[in-house]
mmCIF file of all heavy atoms in Angstrom:
data_model
loop_
_atom_site.group_PDB
_atom_site.id
_atom_site.type_symbol
_atom_site.label_atom_id
_atom_site.label_comp_id
_atom_site.label_asym_id
_atom_site.label_seq_id
_atom_site.Cartn_x
_atom_site.Cartn_y
_atom_site.Cartn_z
ATOM 1 N N ALA R 695 81.562 -11.702 55.501
ATOM 2 C CA ALA R 695 82.627 -11.733 56.499
ATOM 3 C C ALA R 695 83.774 -12.609 56.018
ATOM 4 O O ALA R 695 83.550 -13.666 55.408
ATOM 5 C CB ALA R 695 82.087 -12.272 57.826
ATOM 6 N N VAL R 709 98.000 -22.368 54.103
ATOM 7 C CA VAL R 709 97.175 -21.309 54.682
ATOM 8 C C VAL R 709 95.723 -21.552 54.283
ATOM 9 O O VAL R 709 95.452 -22.150 53.232
ATOM 10 C CB VAL R 709 97.649 -19.917 54.203
ATOM 11 C CG1 VAL R 709 97.471 -19.749 52.705
ATOM 12 C CG2 VAL R 709 96.959 -18.805 54.986
ATOM 13 N N ALA R 710 94.810 -21.118 55.134
ATOM 14 C CA ALA R 710 93.386 -21.266 54.839
ATOM 15 C C ALA R 710 92.659 -19.963 55.129
ATOM 16 O O ALA R 710 92.973 -19.265 56.111
ATOM 17 C CB ALA R 710 92.787 -22.400 55.671
ATOM 18 N N ILE R 716 76.549 -13.338 52.670
ATOM 19 C CA ILE R 716 75.305 -12.748 53.145
ATOM 20 C C ILE R 716 74.232 -13.836 53.182
ATOM 21 O O ILE R 716 74.133 -14.656 52.259
ATOM 22 C CB ILE R 716 74.880 -11.576 52.235
ATOM 23 C CG1 ILE R 716 75.889 -10.429 52.390
ATOM 24 C CG2 ILE R 716 73.471 -11.106 52.549
ATOM 25 C CD1 ILE R 716 75.675 -9.276 51.427
ATOM 26 N N GLY R 718 71.246 -16.083 52.709
ATOM 27 C CA GLY R 718 70.321 -16.226 51.591
ATOM 28 C C GLY R 718 70.944 -16.128 50.220
ATOM 29 O O GLY R 718 70.278 -16.370 49.207
ATOM 30 N N TYR R 725 87.934 -14.604 44.682
ATOM 31 C CA TYR R 725 88.757 -13.889 43.718
ATOM 32 C C TYR R 725 90.162 -13.704 44.288
ATOM 33 O O TYR R 725 90.345 -13.569 45.502
ATOM 34 C CB TYR R 725 88.195 -12.494 43.433
ATOM 35 C CG TYR R 725 86.909 -12.452 42.647
ATOM 36 C CD1 TYR R 725 85.682 -12.441 43.288
ATOM 37 C CD2 TYR R 725 86.932 -12.396 41.257
ATOM 38 C CE1 TYR R 725 84.492 -12.376 42.567
ATOM 39 C CE2 TYR R 725 85.754 -12.324 40.519
ATOM 40 C CZ TYR R 725 84.546 -12.314 41.180
ATOM 41 O OH TYR R 725 83.374 -12.247 40.454
ATOM 42 N N GLN R 726 91.132 -13.644 43.408
ATOM 43 C CA GLN R 726 92.494 -13.262 43.760
ATOM 44 C C GLN R 726 92.779 -11.915 43.114
ATOM 45 O O GLN R 726 92.562 -11.747 41.913
ATOM 46 C CB GLN R 726 93.486 -14.299 43.233
ATOM 47 C CG GLN R 726 94.945 -13.979 43.543
ATOM 48 C CD GLN R 726 95.902 -14.863 42.739
ATOM 49 O OE1 GLN R 726 95.890 -14.855 41.516
ATOM 50 N NE2 GLN R 726 96.718 -15.628 43.441
ATOM 51 N N GLN R 731 95.980 -4.846 39.876
ATOM 52 C CA GLN R 731 95.191 -5.557 38.866
ATOM 53 C C GLN R 731 93.747 -5.706 39.328
ATOM 54 O O GLN R 731 93.425 -5.490 40.492
ATOM 55 C CB GLN R 731 95.795 -6.945 38.602
ATOM 56 C CG GLN R 731 97.217 -6.909 38.073
ATOM 57 C CD GLN R 731 97.752 -8.295 37.799
ATOM 58 O OE1 GLN R 731 96.991 -9.276 37.693
ATOM 59 N NE2 GLN R 731 99.061 -8.410 37.673
ATOM 60 N N LYS R 734 90.561 -11.504 39.961
ATOM 61 C CA LYS R 734 90.547 -12.653 39.053
ATOM 62 C C LYS R 734 89.765 -13.781 39.720
ATOM 63 O O LYS R 734 90.099 -14.198 40.830
ATOM 64 C CB LYS R 734 91.970 -13.109 38.750
ATOM 65 C CG LYS R 734 92.083 -14.414 37.982
ATOM 66 C CD LYS R 734 93.541 -14.848 37.926
ATOM 67 C CE LYS R 734 93.689 -16.285 37.486
ATOM 68 N NZ LYS R 734 95.087 -16.745 37.538
ATOM 69 N N ILE R 737 87.157 -19.415 41.841
ATOM 70 C CA ILE R 737 86.143 -20.451 41.901
ATOM 71 C C ILE R 737 84.800 -19.807 42.221
ATOM 72 O O ILE R 737 84.738 -18.796 42.920
ATOM 73 C CB ILE R 737 86.497 -21.540 42.934
ATOM 74 C CG1 ILE R 737 85.549 -22.729 42.840
ATOM 75 C CG2 ILE R 737 86.536 -20.968 44.347
ATOM 76 C CD1 ILE R 737 86.038 -23.961 43.615
ATOM 77 N N ALA R 757 89.087 -25.514 47.465
ATOM 78 C CA ALA R 757 88.030 -24.744 48.105
ATOM 79 C C ALA R 757 86.818 -25.635 48.297
ATOM 80 O O ALA R 757 86.582 -26.565 47.524
ATOM 81 C CB ALA R 757 87.654 -23.527 47.264
ATOM 82 N N ASP R 764 78.958 -21.164 54.415
ATOM 83 C CA ASP R 764 80.291 -20.585 54.429
ATOM 84 C C ASP R 764 81.265 -21.430 53.622
ATOM 85 O O ASP R 764 80.960 -22.559 53.218
ATOM 86 C CB ASP R 764 80.779 -20.310 55.841
ATOM 87 C CG ASP R 764 80.743 -21.529 56.720
ATOM 88 O OD1 ASP R 764 80.245 -22.569 56.255
ATOM 89 O OD2 ASP R 764 81.205 -21.443 57.867
ATOM 90 N N ALA R 772 102.234 -22.863 49.569
ATOM 91 C CA ALA R 772 102.195 -21.506 49.018
ATOM 92 C C ALA R 772 103.480 -21.179 48.266
ATOM 93 O O ALA R 772 104.566 -21.670 48.596
ATOM 94 C CB ALA R 772 101.974 -20.501 50.140
ATOM 95 N N LEU R 774 105.648 -17.741 46.300
ATOM 96 C CA LEU R 774 105.802 -16.285 46.410
ATOM 97 C C LEU R 774 104.736 -15.554 45.587
ATOM 98 O O LEU R 774 104.209 -14.523 46.026
ATOM 99 C CB LEU R 774 107.195 -15.852 45.960
ATOM 100 C CG LEU R 774 108.375 -16.352 46.800
ATOM 101 C CD1 LEU R 774 109.697 -15.911 46.179
ATOM 102 C CD2 LEU R 774 108.279 -15.839 48.234
ATOM 103 N N GLU R 775 104.421 -16.108 44.396
ATOM 104 C CA GLU R 775 103.467 -15.433 43.515
ATOM 105 C C GLU R 775 102.022 -15.495 43.999
ATOM 106 O O GLU R 775 101.133 -14.908 43.392
ATOM 107 C CB GLU R 775 103.546 -15.995 42.089
ATOM 108 C CG GLU R 775 103.271 -17.485 41.992
ATOM 109 C CD GLU R 775 104.556 -18.292 41.906
ATOM 110 O OE1 GLU R 775 105.558 -17.907 42.544
ATOM 111 O OE2 GLU R 775 104.536 -19.321 41.181
ATOM 112 N N ASP R 776 101.790 -16.204 45.108
ATOM 113 C CA ASP R 776 100.449 -16.249 45.691
ATOM 114 C C ASP R 776 100.165 -15.022 46.549
ATOM 115 O O ASP R 776 99.027 -14.842 47.026
ATOM 116 C CB ASP R 776 100.262 -17.503 46.542
ATOM 117 C CG ASP R 776 100.373 -18.778 45.732
ATOM 118 O OD1 ASP R 776 100.084 -18.739 44.517
ATOM 119 O OD2 ASP R 776 100.767 -19.809 46.316
ATOM 120 N N LEU R 781 89.661 -12.119 47.866
ATOM 121 C CA LEU R 781 88.344 -11.533 48.094
ATOM 122 C C LEU R 781 87.270 -12.608 47.964
ATOM 123 O O LEU R 781 87.287 -13.404 47.036
ATOM 124 C CB LEU R 781 88.069 -10.432 47.065
ATOM 125 C CG LEU R 781 88.939 -9.187 47.135
ATOM 126 C CD1 LEU R 781 88.833 -8.394 45.839
ATOM 127 C CD2 LEU R 781 88.539 -8.323 48.313
ATOM 128 N N CYS R 782 86.341 -12.580 48.885
ATOM 129 C CA CYS R 782 85.168 -13.427 48.800
ATOM 130 C C CYS R 782 83.985 -12.517 48.469
ATOM 131 O O CYS R 782 83.893 -11.395 48.978
ATOM 132 C CB CYS R 782 84.929 -14.155 50.113
ATOM 133 S SG CYS R 782 83.452 -15.193 50.138
ATOM 134 N N SER R 784 79.526 -12.599 47.378
ATOM 135 C CA SER R 784 78.328 -13.414 47.250
ATOM 136 C C SER R 784 77.251 -12.635 46.501
ATOM 137 O O SER R 784 77.287 -11.409 46.440
ATOM 138 C CB SER R 784 77.812 -13.864 48.623
ATOM 139 O OG SER R 784 77.286 -12.774 49.371
ATOM 140 N N HIS R 788 73.682 -16.831 40.452
ATOM 141 C CA HIS R 788 74.721 -16.567 39.456
ATOM 142 C C HIS R 788 74.096 -15.814 38.293
ATOM 143 O O HIS R 788 72.875 -15.771 38.142
ATOM 144 C CB HIS R 788 75.397 -17.867 39.010
ATOM 145 C CG HIS R 788 74.499 -18.793 38.243
ATOM 146 N ND1 HIS R 788 73.609 -19.632 38.856
ATOM 147 C CD2 HIS R 788 74.356 -18.996 36.921
ATOM 148 C CE1 HIS R 788 72.981 -20.329 37.949
ATOM 149 N NE2 HIS R 788 73.409 -19.962 36.763
ATOM 150 N N TYR R 794 78.386 -8.746 46.257
ATOM 151 C CA TYR R 794 78.780 -8.053 47.478
ATOM 152 C C TYR R 794 80.111 -8.656 47.935
ATOM 153 O O TYR R 794 80.208 -9.871 48.144
ATOM 154 C CB TYR R 794 77.727 -8.240 48.571
ATOM 155 C CG TYR R 794 76.396 -7.620 48.252
ATOM 156 C CD1 TYR R 794 75.480 -8.268 47.432
ATOM 157 C CD2 TYR R 794 76.033 -6.379 48.781
ATOM 158 C CE1 TYR R 794 74.246 -7.708 47.134
ATOM 159 C CE2 TYR R 794 74.802 -5.812 48.485
ATOM 160 C CZ TYR R 794 73.920 -6.481 47.659
ATOM 161 O OH TYR R 794 72.708 -5.912 47.364
ATOM 162 N N PHE R 795 81.102 -7.796 48.084
ATOM 163 C CA PHE R 795 82.441 -8.263 48.426
ATOM 164 C C PHE R 795 82.715 -8.127 49.921
ATOM 165 O O PHE R 795 82.263 -7.179 50.576
ATOM 166 C CB PHE R 795 83.501 -7.446 47.674
ATOM 167 C CG PHE R 795 83.629 -7.832 46.228
ATOM 168 C CD1 PHE R 795 82.762 -7.326 45.282
ATOM 169 C CD2 PHE R 795 84.627 -8.708 45.820
ATOM 170 C CE1 PHE R 795 82.880 -7.679 43.940
ATOM 171 C CE2 PHE R 795 84.758 -9.061 44.489
ATOM 172 C CZ PHE R 795 83.873 -8.546 43.544
#
Side-chain angles (χ1 to χ4, degrees):
Chain R
V709 64
I716 293 173
Y725 290 92
Q726 180 193 60
Q731 299 181 17
K734 172 188 166 185
I737 189 167
D764 55 355
L774 296 176
E775 59 261 35
D776 297 333
L781 294 163
C782 178
S784 69
H788 67 279
Y794 295 81
F795 284 82

